[in-house]
Amino acid sequence: MAKKKQKQSFLKKILLRISGIFLISATIFIWMSCLFYHQQDSAINIISDAPIKNALGIYGAITADYALSGLGLIVPLFLIIVFRWGYDLVR
């Protein structure tokens, strides 16, 4: 019985760490895409023939557009909270 509980706690620990790594990675991606945001990049609500200037490509341009349109300038505060949550899961 004790081994089964240990095995479940080990799997739970691994899943929590993987979730934390995912949250940290997503936070870094969103932060970088917002950092390289350019208002003339093609996104969902902007159609442009100009080349994309976001360093992360079309995915970075779309992510930055959604993040800055949806949350506005509060994005850094939101990302700090999510990053800290991911760090706590990894630790």
XYZ file of all heavy atoms in Angstrom:
725
model
N 0.821 -1.198 0.000
C 0.000 0.000 0.000
C 0.865 1.262 0.000
O 0.561 2.213 -0.677
C -0.929 -0.049 1.212
C -1.892 1.062 1.253
S -3.350 0.565 0.330
C -4.463 1.755 0.888
N 1.944 1.232 0.791
C 2.799 2.406 0.890
C 3.528 2.669 -0.423
O 3.758 3.810 -0.797
C 3.800 2.235 2.038
N 3.903 1.584 -1.135
C 4.591 1.759 -2.417
C 3.677 2.401 -3.451
O 4.103 3.215 -4.248
C 5.108 0.421 -2.924
C 6.301 -0.087 -2.179
C 6.814 -1.349 -2.809
C 8.034 -1.844 -2.036
N 8.623 -3.020 -2.663
N 2.408 2.015 -3.440
C 1.458 2.603 -4.381
C 1.303 4.101 -4.127
O 1.261 4.901 -5.045
C 0.109 1.898 -4.264
C -0.864 2.301 -5.330
C -2.116 1.482 -5.274
C -3.037 1.861 -6.423
N -4.259 1.071 -6.389
N 1.252 4.475 -2.847
C 1.138 5.891 -2.504
C 2.402 6.641 -2.913
O 2.332 7.763 -3.410
C 0.880 6.049 -1.003
C 0.584 7.453 -0.595
C 0.191 7.543 0.849
C -0.154 8.985 1.203
N -0.512 9.115 2.595
N 3.560 6.002 -2.720
C 4.813 6.629 -3.124
C 4.841 6.827 -4.639
O 5.290 7.849 -5.127
C 5.991 5.734 -2.718
C 6.823 6.296 -1.616
C 7.998 5.380 -1.318
O 8.071 4.253 -1.787
N 8.893 5.864 -0.516
N 4.378 5.814 -5.370
C 4.375 5.895 -6.823
C 3.455 7.020 -7.296
O 3.788 7.770 -8.192
C 3.932 4.561 -7.408
C 4.233 4.391 -8.855
C 3.891 2.984 -9.301
C 4.550 2.679 -10.610
N 4.262 1.305 -11.025
N 2.297 7.162 -6.686
C 1.382 8.232 -7.061
C 1.986 9.589 -6.744
O 1.867 10.517 -7.528
C 0.054 8.064 -6.340
C -0.789 6.940 -6.893
C -2.072 6.757 -6.115
O -2.236 7.296 -5.029
N -2.983 5.980 -6.674
N 2.630 9.700 -5.616
C 3.212 10.995 -5.277
C 4.375 11.323 -6.210
O 4.602 12.482 -6.535
C 3.658 11.025 -3.816
O 4.730 10.130 -3.614
N 5.113 10.303 -6.664
C 6.196 10.526 -7.614
C 5.638 11.010 -8.946
O 6.143 11.970 -9.527
C 7.007 9.236 -7.800
C 8.091 9.362 -8.830
C 9.236 10.094 -8.554
C 7.956 8.770 -10.074
C 10.233 10.220 -9.506
C 8.944 8.894 -11.026
C 10.096 9.616 -10.745
N 4.586 10.351 -9.433
C 3.966 10.776 -10.687
C 3.365 12.170 -10.568
O 3.454 12.979 -11.495
C 2.888 9.774 -11.107
C 3.393 8.415 -11.584
C 2.229 7.479 -11.839
C 4.242 8.570 -12.821
N 2.753 12.445 -9.424
C 2.183 13.777 -9.201
C 3.279 14.829 -9.213
O 3.111 15.908 -9.796
C 1.436 13.800 -7.871
C 0.746 15.098 -7.595
C -0.020 15.048 -6.298
C -0.671 16.383 -5.999
N -1.370 16.360 -4.710
N 4.411 14.509 -8.604
C 5.528 15.447 -8.560
C 6.067 15.721 -9.963
O 6.336 16.873 -10.326
C 6.634 14.860 -7.677
C 7.638 15.874 -7.198
C 8.755 15.201 -6.427
C 8.422 15.063 -4.976
N 9.590 14.627 -4.180
N 6.182 14.673 -10.770
C 6.662 14.826 -12.143
C 5.694 15.676 -12.964
O 6.101 16.566 -13.705
C 6.876 13.442 -12.801
C 8.012 12.689 -12.128
C 7.130 13.563 -14.294
C 9.365 13.328 -12.283
N 4.390 15.387 -12.843
C 3.397 16.169 -13.589
C 3.381 17.631 -13.172
O 3.229 18.528 -14.012
C 2.013 15.552 -13.421
C 1.778 14.248 -14.177
C 0.408 13.680 -13.842
C 1.899 14.461 -15.666
N 3.561 17.895 -11.883
C 3.619 19.281 -11.421
C 4.842 19.987 -11.972
O 4.778 21.155 -12.366
C 3.603 19.338 -9.896
C 2.259 19.033 -9.233
C 2.409 18.996 -7.718
C 1.221 20.054 -9.640
N 5.962 19.304 -12.019
C 7.173 19.924 -12.567
C 7.044 20.184 -14.063
O 7.471 21.229 -14.556
C 8.386 19.051 -12.277
C 8.777 19.129 -10.833
C 10.075 18.495 -10.561
N 10.384 18.665 -9.134
C 11.382 18.097 -8.548
N 12.189 17.318 -9.223
N 11.603 18.301 -7.271
N 6.453 19.246 -14.779
C 6.239 19.451 -16.214
C 5.291 20.629 -16.437
O 5.517 21.458 -17.331
C 5.705 18.162 -16.870
C 6.806 17.112 -16.904
C 5.170 18.430 -18.268
C 6.346 15.745 -17.342
N 4.256 20.736 -15.623
C 3.328 21.873 -15.724
C 4.045 23.184 -15.432
O 3.820 24.190 -16.105
C 2.170 21.699 -14.754
O 1.455 20.540 -15.034
N 4.924 23.177 -14.440
C 5.685 24.373 -14.112
C 6.609 24.791 -15.242
O 6.721 25.971 -15.576
N 7.273 23.821 -15.848
C 8.160 24.123 -16.981
C 7.352 24.677 -18.152
O 7.786 25.623 -18.826
C 8.955 22.862 -17.385
C 9.977 22.528 -16.291
C 9.646 23.046 -18.721
C 10.639 21.185 -16.452
N 6.166 24.125 -18.388
C 5.312 24.635 -19.448
C 4.898 26.081 -19.165
O 4.936 26.928 -20.062
C 4.072 23.755 -19.608
C 3.084 24.312 -20.588
C 3.311 24.223 -21.944
C 1.932 24.961 -20.149
C 2.406 24.747 -22.852
C 1.028 25.486 -21.040
C 1.269 25.378 -22.397
N 4.504 26.374 -17.922
C 4.096 27.746 -17.576
C 5.255 28.722 -17.741
O 5.075 29.833 -18.259
C 3.569 27.805 -16.144
C 2.161 27.277 -15.916
C 1.830 27.287 -14.430
C 1.147 28.100 -16.679
N 6.439 28.325 -17.311
C 7.619 29.201 -17.441
C 7.933 29.432 -18.919
O 8.198 30.564 -19.340
C 8.816 28.600 -16.689
C 8.574 28.684 -15.179
C 10.106 29.311 -17.063
C 9.591 27.946 -14.343
N 7.888 28.376 -19.723
C 8.179 28.509 -21.155
C 7.154 29.401 -21.855
O 7.525 30.260 -22.669
C 8.186 27.137 -21.820
O 9.148 26.317 -21.237
N 5.880 29.202 -21.541
C 4.838 30.031 -22.146
C 4.990 31.492 -21.731
O 4.805 32.398 -22.553
C 3.460 29.505 -21.753
N 5.336 31.713 -20.476
C 5.524 33.080 -19.993
C 6.674 33.762 -20.717
O 6.556 34.917 -21.138
C 5.795 33.072 -18.477
O 4.709 32.440 -17.821
C 5.983 34.465 -17.945
N 7.780 33.049 -20.881
C 8.932 33.623 -21.587
C 8.578 33.912 -23.040
O 8.942 34.968 -23.589
C 10.150 32.694 -21.466
C 10.646 32.687 -20.011
C 11.264 33.123 -22.409
C 11.702 31.658 -19.719
N 7.839 33.003 -23.685
C 7.434 33.219 -25.076
C 6.538 34.450 -25.205
O 6.744 35.293 -26.089
C 6.720 31.983 -25.626
C 6.244 32.159 -27.028
C 7.131 32.066 -28.080
C 4.915 32.431 -27.305
C 6.704 32.236 -29.387
C 4.467 32.595 -28.600
C 5.373 32.495 -29.643
N 5.563 34.573 -24.335
C 4.654 35.725 -24.393
C 5.409 37.014 -24.101
O 5.203 38.038 -24.758
C 3.464 35.537 -23.433
C 2.603 34.363 -23.897
C 2.615 36.807 -23.348
C 1.551 33.938 -22.889
N 6.297 36.974 -23.110
C 7.088 38.162 -22.762
C 7.942 38.608 -23.951
O 7.974 39.786 -24.293
C 7.974 37.850 -21.555
C 8.743 39.021 -21.073
C 9.985 39.402 -21.479
C 8.336 39.997 -20.121
N 10.368 40.541 -20.835
C 9.375 40.916 -19.993
C 7.186 40.158 -19.355
C 9.294 41.997 -19.139
C 7.130 41.229 -18.507
C 8.162 42.137 -18.394
N 8.622 37.650 -24.604
C 9.476 37.986 -25.740
C 8.649 38.473 -26.925
O 9.057 39.406 -27.613
C 10.320 36.770 -26.139
C 11.326 36.347 -25.096
S 12.544 37.608 -24.726
C 13.492 37.584 -26.222
N 7.504 37.868 -27.162
C 6.684 38.315 -28.287
C 6.160 39.721 -28.055
O 6.068 40.510 -28.992
C 5.546 37.337 -28.556
O 4.643 37.309 -27.493
N 5.817 40.053 -26.816
C 5.370 41.416 -26.513
C 6.530 42.411 -26.570
O 6.345 43.568 -26.944
C 4.716 41.469 -25.138
S 3.110 40.673 -25.084
N 7.713 41.944 -26.221
C 8.885 42.815 -26.273
C 9.211 43.224 -27.708
O 9.592 44.363 -27.965
C 10.084 42.098 -25.634
C 11.359 42.882 -25.489
C 11.165 44.029 -24.497
C 12.465 41.971 -25.005
N 9.024 42.290 -28.645
C 9.317 42.560 -30.050
C 8.080 42.970 -30.844
O 8.070 42.897 -32.072
C 9.956 41.330 -30.705
C 11.313 41.003 -30.157
C 11.529 39.808 -29.507
C 12.357 41.889 -30.279
C 12.771 39.495 -28.996
C 13.600 41.594 -29.770
C 13.811 40.382 -29.126
N 7.027 43.391 -30.183
C 5.781 43.782 -30.848
C 6.009 44.951 -31.790
O 6.720 45.910 -31.477
C 4.732 44.163 -29.797
C 3.455 44.702 -30.387
C 2.556 43.855 -31.001
C 3.152 46.059 -30.331
C 1.381 44.328 -31.546
C 1.987 46.543 -30.875
C 1.102 45.671 -31.483
O -0.057 46.154 -32.015
N 5.417 44.851 -32.948
C 5.413 45.953 -33.912
C 3.989 46.083 -34.427
O 3.378 45.109 -34.855
C 6.378 45.671 -35.066
C 6.645 46.877 -35.893
N 5.858 47.237 -36.962
C 7.601 47.827 -35.800
C 6.319 48.342 -37.482
N 7.384 48.719 -36.802
N 3.454 47.287 -34.413
C 2.042 47.463 -34.710
C 1.681 47.212 -36.163
O 0.511 47.037 -36.476
C 1.584 48.848 -34.280
C 2.153 49.992 -35.079
C 1.790 51.322 -34.483
O 2.583 51.939 -33.838
N 0.566 51.743 -34.696
N 2.634 47.144 -37.063
C 2.318 46.873 -38.468
C 2.466 45.404 -38.834
O 2.300 45.045 -40.001
C 3.204 47.724 -39.372
C 2.894 49.201 -39.253
C 3.811 50.044 -40.110
O 4.808 49.563 -40.629
N 3.478 51.312 -40.241
N 2.775 44.541 -37.863
C 2.868 43.109 -38.135
C 1.500 42.544 -38.462
O 0.493 42.957 -37.898
C 3.433 42.351 -36.928
C 4.939 42.496 -36.816
O 5.577 42.882 -37.801
O 5.471 42.199 -35.728
N 1.478 41.573 -39.350
C 0.222 40.882 -39.654
C -0.195 40.055 -38.446
O 0.612 39.376 -37.844
C 0.394 39.962 -40.852
O 0.586 40.711 -42.016
N -1.455 40.145 -38.114
C -2.005 39.362 -37.010
C -3.434 39.009 -37.385
O -3.845 39.160 -38.530
C -1.932 40.150 -35.707
N -4.208 38.572 -36.416
C -5.581 38.161 -36.695
C -6.433 39.343 -37.155
O -7.198 39.233 -38.106
C -6.206 37.507 -35.449
C -5.434 36.246 -35.085
C -7.674 37.196 -35.661
C -5.431 35.179 -36.142
N -6.294 40.486 -36.507
C -7.148 41.624 -36.851
C -6.445 42.675 -37.718
O -7.002 43.713 -37.990
C -7.704 42.282 -35.589
C -6.607 42.772 -34.677
O -5.440 42.544 -34.935
N -6.993 43.450 -33.615
N -5.218 42.402 -38.143
C -4.473 43.340 -38.995
C -3.985 42.579 -40.224
O -3.331 41.554 -40.107
C -3.253 43.926 -38.245
C -3.715 44.691 -37.004
C -2.444 44.826 -39.160
C -2.586 45.108 -36.106
N -4.323 43.087 -41.386
C -3.860 42.470 -42.624
C -2.847 43.418 -43.249
O -3.133 44.592 -43.483
C -5.026 42.219 -43.595
C -6.016 41.251 -42.961
C -4.513 41.687 -44.917
C -7.274 41.051 -43.757
N -1.664 42.889 -43.505
C -0.604 43.717 -44.042
C 0.276 42.875 -44.962
O 0.498 41.685 -44.716
C 0.239 44.292 -42.895
O 1.347 44.984 -43.408
N 0.780 43.506 -46.011
C 1.712 42.822 -46.914
C 3.157 43.022 -46.467
O 4.060 42.423 -47.041
C 1.552 43.355 -48.341
C 0.242 42.916 -48.960
O -0.306 41.894 -48.509
O -0.228 43.598 -49.896
N 3.367 43.850 -45.477
C 4.714 44.108 -44.984
C 5.274 42.859 -44.304
O 4.532 42.068 -43.737
C 4.697 45.267 -43.991
N 6.583 42.684 -44.387
C 7.166 41.523 -43.711
C 7.016 41.642 -42.184
O 6.980 42.741 -41.637
C 8.643 41.559 -44.113
C 8.883 42.955 -44.545
C 7.583 43.490 -45.064
N 6.935 40.528 -41.532
C 6.755 40.520 -40.078
C 8.064 40.909 -39.409
O 9.125 40.353 -39.705
C 6.272 39.131 -39.615
C 4.892 38.881 -40.194
C 6.285 39.016 -38.108
C 4.348 37.519 -39.942
N 7.987 41.850 -38.497
C 9.180 42.356 -37.819
C 9.374 41.770 -36.432
O 10.376 42.020 -35.792
C 9.098 43.883 -37.742
C 9.096 44.531 -39.103
C 8.924 46.009 -39.020
C 8.846 46.577 -40.425
N 8.442 47.961 -40.456
N 8.411 40.990 -35.975
C 8.543 40.349 -34.677
C 9.607 39.262 -34.778
O 9.614 38.470 -35.717
C 7.200 39.743 -34.248
C 7.170 39.353 -32.801
O 8.076 38.713 -32.296
N 6.110 39.755 -32.122
N 10.518 39.217 -33.815
C 11.622 38.263 -33.843
C 11.151 36.819 -33.733
O 11.860 35.905 -34.161
C 12.603 38.572 -32.714
N 9.959 36.586 -33.214
C 9.436 35.234 -33.058
C 8.504 34.835 -34.204
O 7.816 33.828 -34.129
C 8.712 35.107 -31.719
C 9.600 35.352 -30.500
C 8.781 35.294 -29.232
C 10.731 34.352 -30.444
N 8.469 35.633 -35.236
C 7.701 35.293 -36.428
C 6.210 35.568 -36.284
O 5.774 36.367 -35.457
N 5.453 34.863 -37.102
C 4.006 35.080 -37.130
C 3.369 34.690 -35.800
O 2.433 35.336 -35.335
C 3.356 34.316 -38.317
C 1.872 34.649 -38.439
C 3.538 32.826 -38.187
C 1.569 36.037 -38.887
N 3.870 33.627 -35.170
C 3.294 33.206 -33.886
C 3.547 34.259 -32.803
O 2.687 34.516 -31.967
C 3.847 31.855 -33.466
C 3.528 30.764 -34.454
C 4.527 30.147 -35.181
C 2.211 30.388 -34.686
C 4.226 29.159 -36.102
C 1.894 29.410 -35.610
C 2.912 28.795 -36.310
O 2.608 27.826 -37.235
N 4.712 34.866 -32.833
C 5.004 35.938 -31.889
C 4.149 37.166 -32.145
O 3.690 37.822 -31.212
N 3.916 37.469 -33.416
C 3.094 38.632 -33.754
C 1.647 38.431 -33.306
O 1.028 39.339 -32.737
C 3.155 38.892 -35.256
N 1.122 37.233 -33.545
C -0.262 36.952 -33.144
C -0.385 36.939 -31.620
O -1.333 37.502 -31.056
C -0.738 35.626 -33.760
C -0.870 35.783 -35.277
C -2.048 35.176 -33.153
C -1.118 34.489 -36.012
N 0.577 36.308 -30.945
C 0.550 36.249 -29.484
C 0.641 37.633 -28.873
O -0.099 37.967 -27.940
C 1.703 35.370 -28.964
O 1.598 34.074 -29.551
C 1.675 35.261 -27.460
N 1.531 38.461 -29.388
C 1.681 39.824 -28.863
C 0.419 40.638 -29.107
O -0.003 41.413 -28.242
C 2.875 40.497 -29.515
N -0.177 40.453 -30.275
C -1.400 41.180 -30.587
C -2.521 40.809 -29.618
O -3.202 41.674 -29.074
C -1.813 40.903 -32.028
C -2.993 41.745 -32.469
O -2.996 42.959 -32.156
O -3.911 41.203 -33.097
N -2.708 39.511 -29.386
C -3.734 39.070 -28.440
C -3.435 39.545 -27.014
O -4.322 40.019 -26.310
C -3.857 37.551 -28.434
C -4.783 37.007 -29.484
C -4.423 35.893 -30.218
C -6.015 37.584 -29.738
C -5.263 35.368 -31.179
C -6.860 37.066 -30.697
C -6.483 35.964 -31.410
O -7.321 35.455 -32.369
N -2.195 39.404 -26.587
C -1.838 39.765 -25.217
C -2.011 41.263 -24.974
O -2.599 41.676 -23.962
C -0.400 39.345 -24.909
N -1.523 42.066 -25.892
C -1.603 43.511 -25.689
C -3.005 44.052 -25.954
O -3.403 45.045 -25.345
C -0.570 44.216 -26.567
C 0.879 43.935 -26.165
C 1.842 44.541 -27.182
C 1.173 44.450 -24.778
N -3.757 43.409 -26.825
C -5.138 43.840 -27.042
C -6.035 43.422 -25.883
O -6.925 44.164 -25.474
C -5.692 43.238 -28.331
O -4.982 43.705 -29.438
N -5.813 42.234 -25.384
C -6.660 41.712 -24.319
C -6.337 42.268 -22.945
O -7.233 42.665 -22.199
N -5.070 42.294 -22.596
C -4.682 42.731 -21.247
C -4.078 44.134 -21.211
O -4.004 44.730 -20.145
C -3.680 41.729 -20.653
C -4.234 40.332 -20.393
C -3.103 39.412 -19.959
C -5.313 40.362 -19.344
N -3.613 44.605 -22.320
C -3.035 45.948 -22.362
C -1.680 46.004 -21.662
O -0.893 45.064 -21.711
N -1.434 47.094 -20.999
C -0.136 47.295 -20.366
C 0.007 46.555 -19.040
O 1.044 46.648 -18.401
C 0.114 48.793 -20.170
C 0.207 49.586 -21.473
C 0.400 51.063 -21.164
C 1.332 49.077 -22.341
N -1.006 45.814 -18.634
C -0.938 45.024 -17.412
C -0.250 43.674 -17.675
O -0.039 42.893 -16.746
C -2.343 44.854 -16.794
C -2.289 44.484 -15.325
C -3.109 43.810 -17.528
C -1.973 45.610 -14.450
N 0.100 43.390 -18.920
C 0.711 42.122 -19.295
C 1.934 41.779 -18.430
O 2.039 40.653 -17.952
C 1.071 42.108 -20.799
C 1.941 40.922 -21.158
C -0.177 42.091 -21.625
N 2.878 42.700 -18.203
C 4.041 42.321 -17.379
C 3.662 41.847 -15.971
O 4.228 40.865 -15.490
C 4.880 43.599 -17.306
C 4.482 44.372 -18.503
C 3.042 44.055 -18.741
N 2.699 42.488 -15.355
C 2.286 42.063 -14.019
C 1.665 40.667 -14.068
O 1.982 39.804 -13.243
C 1.295 43.061 -13.424
C 0.763 42.728 -12.039
C 1.907 42.713 -11.029
C -0.297 43.714 -11.623
N 0.817 40.435 -15.038
C 0.204 39.124 -15.208
C 1.266 38.056 -15.457
O 1.213 36.965 -14.883
C -0.801 39.171 -16.362
C -1.426 37.855 -16.677
C -2.373 37.305 -15.827
C -1.065 37.155 -17.819
C -2.957 36.082 -16.112
C -1.644 35.943 -18.112
C -2.592 35.402 -17.250
N 2.252 38.367 -16.297
C 3.286 37.392 -16.613
C 4.194 37.110 -15.425
O 4.666 35.977 -15.264
C 4.099 37.867 -17.819
C 3.350 37.865 -19.143
C 4.235 38.400 -20.247
C 2.836 36.495 -19.486
N 4.446 38.102 -14.602
C 5.244 37.878 -13.392
C 4.526 36.898 -12.469
O 5.143 35.992 -11.905
C 5.537 39.213 -12.678
C 6.537 40.022 -13.497
C 6.069 38.973 -11.271
C 6.733 41.433 -13.002
N 3.228 37.053 -12.331
C 2.454 36.161 -11.468
C 2.471 34.735 -12.019
O 2.686 33.772 -11.270
C 1.010 36.685 -11.321
C 1.011 37.997 -10.545
C 0.122 35.659 -10.655
C -0.304 38.726 -10.574
N 2.268 34.580 -13.326
C 2.258 33.248 -13.935
C 3.644 32.618 -13.875
O 3.787 31.422 -13.613
C 1.732 33.309 -15.385
C 1.855 31.966 -16.077
C 0.298 33.786 -15.404
N 4.685 33.418 -14.087
C 6.059 32.915 -13.994
C 6.356 32.406 -12.587
O 6.931 31.337 -12.406
C 7.056 34.009 -14.393
C 8.478 33.532 -14.427
C 8.982 32.936 -15.571
C 9.315 33.676 -13.334
C 10.291 32.487 -15.615
C 10.621 33.229 -13.369
C 11.110 32.634 -14.521
N 5.946 33.176 -11.593
C 6.169 32.769 -10.204
C 5.405 31.478 -9.875
O 5.913 30.607 -9.158
C 5.748 33.905 -9.268
C 5.835 33.606 -7.820
C 7.246 33.287 -7.415
N 7.235 32.787 -6.055
C 8.233 32.841 -5.235
N 9.360 33.372 -5.640
N 8.134 32.376 -4.029
N 4.207 31.345 -10.399
C 3.418 30.139 -10.197
C 4.138 28.925 -10.802
O 4.245 27.871 -10.187
C 2.045 30.327 -10.817
C 1.090 29.188 -10.641
C 1.092 28.242 -9.652
C 0.003 28.869 -11.498
N 0.051 27.367 -9.844
C -0.637 27.737 -10.975
C -0.509 29.450 -12.646
C -1.741 27.160 -11.559
C -1.616 28.876 -13.231
C -2.219 27.753 -12.690
N 4.671 29.091 -12.026
C 5.420 28.011 -12.661
C 6.691 27.668 -11.892
O 7.034 26.498 -11.731
N 7.361 28.690 -11.382
C 8.574 28.466 -10.589
C 8.254 27.698 -9.316
O 8.995 26.791 -8.923
C 9.214 29.817 -10.251
C 10.428 29.698 -9.366
C 11.639 29.268 -9.891
C 10.362 30.007 -8.012
C 12.755 29.142 -9.081
C 11.462 29.882 -7.205
C 12.655 29.450 -7.734
O 13.765 29.327 -6.938
N 7.160 28.032 -8.678
C 6.748 27.308 -7.458
C 6.421 25.853 -7.775
O 6.668 24.970 -6.947
C 5.560 27.985 -6.793
C 5.947 29.281 -6.096
O 7.142 29.490 -5.832
O 5.028 30.095 -5.825
N 5.842 25.581 -8.927
C 5.541 24.201 -9.303
C 6.799 23.391 -9.582
O 6.870 22.208 -9.263
C 4.616 24.166 -10.525
C 3.179 24.581 -10.304
C 2.428 24.581 -11.622
C 2.481 23.685 -9.298
N 7.795 24.031 -10.167
C 9.045 23.339 -10.460
C 9.835 23.075 -9.185
O 10.452 22.025 -9.023
C 9.899 24.138 -11.469
C 11.287 23.560 -11.609
C 9.205 24.162 -12.812
N 9.784 24.003 -8.281
C 10.556 23.891 -7.033
C 9.942 22.873 -6.181
O 10.041 21.950 -5.723
C 10.517 25.211 -6.306
C 11.769 25.562 -5.605
C 11.662 26.918 -5.076
N 10.506 26.944 -4.164
C 10.382 27.754 -3.161
N 11.273 28.633 -2.945
N 9.336 27.744 -2.398
